Amino acid sequence: MNHSSARRVRRVATAPVLIGAIACSLGVPEAAAAADPIRPAWLVTAQPDRPLKIVEGLTVRPERETKALPTRGYQLTATFGNAGSLWSSDHTGLDFAAPEGTPLFAIGDGVVTEVGYDGAYGNKTVIRLEDGTELWYCHQSSQSVAVGQSVSAGDVIGAIGSTGNSTGPHLHLEVRRHGEPVDPAVALADWGLSV
């Protein structure tokens, strides 16, 4: 079978399913049943208030993440407001301990406003979200983004390290609104993320 014949066979084989899917998305399951008596059950049970999304033939694209945790495989070692000799004042972030080199992810869509070394914070990347919230990723071993770059939730922006004033590899995450630090655990919960 040559290439163009194979394409015709694929078109003929998928046409009834495509017609059924379109009929279900329009809220006409009876039309879907008539279009193809041998069809997946989900085509018949589609609800008019939850239409199917048909993109590029039969490809269904999943929804893109809107928020993501900043890293994986971590252990929380310090929380917002902790006091002690490790900090010059109360702790202004949330510490995620993980092996050096563990990837760091953009929590949400935003623009990178700062990348560089910042004293006690070590290698720091700052992302400004669309609502003006700033996310500070501190103590990084490496940084994978540049100032002015747009990032999306889940994009790799760097890696966990132990630069600056640090007792071991971890991410010190700060969430700042109007320039003031707020509890990152509360902000993450507000975005539907639990740590």
Side-chain angles (χ1 to χ4, degrees), residues 10 15 24 90 92 104 120-121 139 170:
R10 270 197 310 272
C24 278
D90 290 348
T92 54
L104 294 171
Y121 288 110
H139 307 305
H170 73 285

Side-chain angles (χ1 to χ4, degrees), residues 49-65:
D49 61 333
R50 295 181 67 193
L52 298 173
K53 293 181 183 175
I54 306 298
V55 181
E56 295 180 8
L58 296 177
T59 303
V60 178
R61 291 187 177 147
E63 293 289 320
R64 191 177 62 74
E65 283 186 280

Side-chain angles (χ1 to χ4, degrees), residues 103-168:
L104 294 171
F105 307 105
I107 293 171
D109 298 351
V111 175
V112 177
T113 59
E114 184 180 334
V115 176
Y117 190 83
D118 187 10
Y121 288 110
N123 292 328
K124 179 175 88 174
T125 298
V126 177
I127 297 172
R128 186 176 55 243
L129 302 180
E130 294 165 343
D131 68 358
T133 300
E134 286 187 342
L135 305 173
W136 291 16
Y137 296 79
C138 306
H139 307 305
Q140 294 175 269
S141 61
S142 65
Q143 297 163 300
S144 322
V145 290
V147 172
Q149 182 177 335
S150 292
V151 294
S152 298
D155 287 352
V156 174
I157 57 115
I160 283 184
S162 189
T163 58
N165 183 12
S166 172
T167 58

